[in-house]
Amino acid sequence: MNTPHTQLSKRQSTLLSLGAAIVGLALLFVFEGTFDVFTMQIFKLCAINVILALSLNLINGFTGLFSLGHAGFMAVGAYTCAILTMSPDQKEANYVLQPIVPWLANVHIPFVPALLLGGVIAGFIGWLLGVIALRLRDDYLAIATLGFSEIIRVVLTNLQTVTNGSLGLKGLPRFTTMWWAWGSAIVVTLFLVLLIKSSYGRAFKAIRDNEIAAESMGVNVFGMKVLSFTISSFLAGIAGGLLAHYLTTIDPKQFIFLKTFDILLIVVLGGVGSITGSVVAAIVVTVAMEALRFLDGPLNLGFMVTHGVPGLRMVFFSALLMVVVIYRQQGLMGKSEFNWNSLSRIGLLPKRASAQGKGGK
């Protein structure tokens, strides 16, 4: 006789998901009315980092491509959204060395279309880079994407009449509210869950596991790689636009390789190939980076007082990344995802028994 197992019904899982969504919305209301402005800023940054981690995980984790150019796509989205949402008066106040080009001087569109357009332009540039560079593999692809990211930063620095050069853009409207940040994060998360469960997601994972086998099964390997890279670039552009209107000021120095490293740290810690891991790690790492900011200042160790060492916080996270790579390469979640049945199996939720089969000898 087969041993019965326990799992939640589809109806129970749906009800639990709806209940969790309602609780999440209620918590957003509570947080907004309870926490101070600084705490809410960190909370919004968590949502932006969730989008960034998910977008990079789509390339690195689900498609198996090692890309280091994410900061460049963020910069494209950030500058596009910022320039399009600035009023003519704001542009005149920002562009003091050289005036902005005439065809952008009077352009002023709402936040949502500008955010989407920033994502589309980032996605187009990602598609263009993908067509050129995705025939490379492994370290060669990483070097190519890193070089491309630096090219974007240099162009932004020198394109004075469009981006205001090294002076950056200041006084941007603070459109990135908690609702826009977390609403976007939730939409992106749901989109990626559906994408990975679709035939496209199965093709991405097949390419990650074995390109030759995937191609022999009829998968258009190059086309799927370009599609994955384009979607990831689009999402990075969206996150960049949200970040620009979260900080209200941007300049090319914000989009150096260190920004890509921050996102890669989240992906590796959470689990390369896990949506749940990226979401959890993005929140934990973002909060920890602020909580450990005291490491950059003077430290009283009891027997001695150290001088402030700027960057010591990132040394800590770099060491943490090395430990994870050495001792737990799969990260927090590996390639696993959260589901209600896992809580049921460990006794945190009621179980529903279902028989695998009947009868016996």
Side-chain angles (χ1 to χ4, degrees), residues 104-154:
L104 282 175
N106 296 312
V107 175
H108 183 209
I109 65 177
F111 173 61
V112 176
L115 183 65
L116 293 175
L117 192 56
V120 168
I121 293 177
F124 172 75
I125 294 177
W127 171 84
L128 190 61
L129 175 64
V131 170
I132 298 172
L134 284 181
R135 300 187 187 278
L136 301 173
R137 295 184 181 181
D138 303 327
D139 297 345
Y140 302 103
L141 177 61
I143 293 171
T145 52
L146 176 60
F148 173 75
S149 178
E150 286 300 300
I151 288 172
I152 288 182
R153 190 178 64 82
V154 171

Side-chain angles (χ1 to χ4, degrees), residues 88-105:
D89 292 338
Q90 288 176 316
K91 292 174 183 176
E92 185 176 355
N94 271 271
Y95 291 77
V96 292
L97 294 182
Q98 293 185 41
I100 191 172
V101 290
W103 53 276
L104 282 175

Side-chain angles (χ1 to χ4, degrees), residues 56-66 137-138 196 199-215 219-222 224-225 228 267 271-275 330 333-337:
L56 184 60
N57 209 353
L58 177 61
I59 299 177
N60 287 18
F62 291 104
T63 317
L65 304 174
F66 190 30
R137 295 184 181 181
D138 303 327
I196 297 305
S199 59
Y200 293 101
R202 291 191 291 272
F204 294 154
K205 289 189 282 189
I207 293 170
R208 174 195 65 192
D209 296 335
N210 193 316
E211 280 191 28
I212 297 175
E215 191 167 16
V219 175
N220 181 357
V221 172
F222 181 72
M224 288 294 103
K225 283 183 178 181
S228 174
V267 172
V272 179
S274 171
I275 293 175
Q330 68 269 33
M333 295 291 295
K335 294 179 182 178
S336 303
E337 301 291 355

